[in-house]
Amino acid sequence: MKKTILTGDRATGRLHVGHLLGSLENRVKFQDEYNQFILIANIQGLTDNFLDPKKIRDSIPELILDYYAVGIDFNKSTVFIQSMIPQIHEIFIYISNFATVQQISHNPTIKTEILQKNYGESTPLGFYIYPVHQVADILSVRGELVPVGPGEVPQVEEAREIVRKFNSTYNVNILKEPHELLGVPKNVPGIDGNEKMGKSLNNCIYLSDSEEELKKKIFSMKTDPNRIHATDPGTVEGNTIFIYHSLFNSNLNEVEDLKERYRKGAVSDVEVKDKLFKAMNTVLTPIREKRLEGEKLLNELTLKVVNENTKKVQSIAKDVVEEIKEIVFQSFK
Ligand code: TRP
């Protein structure tokens, strides 16, 4: 029996090369070994974008195309849309009794996000509950494994704790404790040198960017600020262009040669950037081509997600809800 994976993305925009190395490449591998569900989290996307629902709506076809473009096989992975599975919210309300305000307020991700967004006491409730709602996402497909980076392990631990409390309180074993599936973390910094690539930071290279956009973005990247002439010796460490070379350029000899000449002051920024452009373009060209092919199939893919996959996930989630209600309310369910 294949184990079940639940993974997903908030529907807040197109996917970028950070997603590619951080999660998408793994998903393409996982879909053979595992029973993989990919959630398009439009409701969670709404929690901090509820003033702009169009952004969320418009992101859904973009995500479908990005998935297709990187090689997600819609016959192997089950892509589904959160708002089409109301059972998730039912599951949420039952498990929410086993999470505490204190637990959420100490969640490192929530803490940082509340600070960043300057929410304070006015934090929208919908946003505040999302870590518990994510647990309901996992439980709705009886997810056993959640692919995460090392920073997200506490989230999955929290999920286990909620499930354990639920099961032990009602003396049942109906909910499965999810576990983290740790990947090798490959973090792609933003083109501005920021530690993270993020849509709101405006520092992304998108999978759907054209060749021209890619080139423009790479040529806008800062290199060693202390190096003014191509003949000045430069620093490779912490230099965004070289971080990108190590992540995207598969020609290791070329990267070594560029580093060596950069340190000596025997290469221009233009050459380093142009070689990065060529390397990234080699990675992104097949993705771009497959995305175009996907545009022709978009109706078909969307229908599968909306009809077939909604039915499939609902049928699993309904059973989960039934089991919970049976335990809690028995004949009054
Ligand atoms: N929060 C995830 C993201 O930002 C998407 C997501 C929603 C998710 N629910 C989940 C991921 C449950 C794993 C498990 O992309």
Side-chain angles (χ1 to χ4, degrees):
M1 268 289 272
K2 287 181 179 173
K3 289 210 166 186
T4 300
I5 288 189
L6 185 278
T7 174
D9 301 286
R10 283 156 37 97
T12 51
R14 293 174 292 154
L15 299 179
H16 50 63
V17 295
H19 294 114
L20 180 67
L21 303 195
S23 57
L24 297 171
E25 284 185 345
N26 272 334
R27 289 182 194 170
V28 174
K29 283 190 216 135
F30 292 154
Q31 64 188 352
D32 290 310
E33 283 169 67
Y34 298 98
N35 179 23
Q36 177 165 258
F37 290 86
I38 303 177
L39 165 79
I40 297 183
N42 58 341
I43 292 200
Q44 196 193 319
L46 207 56
T47 61
D48 53 346
N49 291 284
F50 53 87
L51 298 176
D52 186 10
K54 184 175 186 305
K55 173 171 145 187
I56 307 295
R57 268 191 319 264
D58 292 349
S59 297
I60 296 174
E62 299 287 353
L63 283 177
I64 292 176
L65 288 175
D66 284 333
Y67 293 155
Y68 184 81
V70 298
I72 298 289
D73 182 336
F74 282 64
N75 291 315
K76 290 180 185 166
S77 296
T78 306
V79 178
F80 69 104
I81 299 175
Q82 198 173 33
S83 65
M84 301 193 130
I85 318 294
Q87 292 80 12
I88 293 174
H89 320 312
E90 274 197 88
I91 297 171
F92 162 77
I93 209 73
Y94 292 103
I95 61 170
S96 68
N97 295 322
F98 297 94
T100 64
V101 170
Q102 187 201 38
Q103 196 179 20
I104 299 180
S105 65
H106 287 122
N107 177 310
T109 320
I110 285 280
K111 250 167 69 183
T112 333
E113 281 175 305
I114 287 178
L115 280 177
Q116 272 169 1
K117 296 177 202 289
N118 229 334
Y119 278 157
E121 289 285 303
S122 307
T123 304
L125 195 54
F127 177 83
Y128 199 72
I129 56 147
Y130 96 70
V132 184
H133 202 258
Q134 282 195 336
V135 181
D137 293 333
I138 303 168
L139 297 175
S140 74
V141 294
R142 301 192 197 272
E144 299 169 280
L145 294 169
V146 185
V148 289
E152 295 152 318
V153 174
Q155 307 262 42
V156 187
E157 262 162 22
E158 247 170 61
R160 272 200 294 277
E161 204 177 309
I162 291 172
V163 167
R164 256 199 308 272
K165 278 194 203 158
F166 179 98
N167 283 340
S168 72
T169 302
Y170 300 128
N171 200 19
V172 290
N173 212 356
I174 54 175
L175 303 181
K176 269 192 189 153
E177 287 183 33
H179 289 269
E180 56 276 0
L181 185 58
L182 273 170
V184 183
K186 269 198 202 162
N187 181 48
V188 183
I191 54 170
D192 57 356
N194 194 305
E195 201 186 323
K196 274 202 97 138
M197 183 172 277
K199 196 180 157 63
S200 55
L201 301 166
N202 205 10
N203 63 4
C204 304
I205 294 176
Y206 292 100
L207 301 175
S208 46
D209 278 349
S210 67
E211 211 169 288
E212 294 71 39
E213 283 166 316
L214 175 67
K215 189 163 206 168
K216 214 169 109 195
K217 286 181 181 177
I218 289 176
F219 275 80
S220 79
M221 285 164 76
K222 293 205 178 61
T223 55
D224 178 349
N226 298 320
R227 197 175 101 112
I228 296 152
H229 307 289
T231 48
D232 296 343
T235 306
V236 163
E237 287 69 32
N239 188 325
T240 316
I241 286 280
F242 281 99
I243 298 176
Y244 271 62
H245 264 293
S246 65
L247 289 169
F248 294 100
N249 191 342
S250 56
N251 185 343
L252 301 180
N253 291 333
E254 179 174 278
V255 178
E256 272 319 299
D257 168 65
L258 288 173
K259 281 185 183 170
E260 212 178 294
R261 287 195 286 135
Y262 197 84
R263 289 194 178 105
K264 285 197 292 212
V267 65
S268 66
D269 274 11
V270 172
E271 184 182 339
V272 181
K273 287 182 173 179
D274 194 57
K275 292 219 157 101
L276 177 63
F277 164 69
K278 293 205 170 89
M280 285 191 83
N281 203 36
T282 306
V283 175
L284 293 175
T285 299
I287 295 177
R288 226 181 269 129
E289 283 168 1
K290 191 130 198 252
R291 207 176 192 277
L292 274 177
E293 184 193 309
E295 280 177 21
K296 288 187 220 125
L297 300 170
L298 184 58
N299 268 342
E300 201 181 305
L301 296 171
T302 308
L303 277 178
K304 185 171 176 95
V305 169
V306 168
N307 294 337
E308 195 180 317
N309 294 357
T310 298
K311 258 194 224 128
K312 176 175 168 184
V313 175
Q314 276 204 11
S315 112
I316 304 168
K318 273 182 188 159
D319 283 349
V320 177
V321 172
E322 277 302 298
E323 285 174 23
I324 295 176
K325 291 178 84 177
E326 179 64 37
I327 291 302
V328 182
F329 293 128
Q330 294 170 6
S331 53
F332 297 104
K333 65 182 182 213

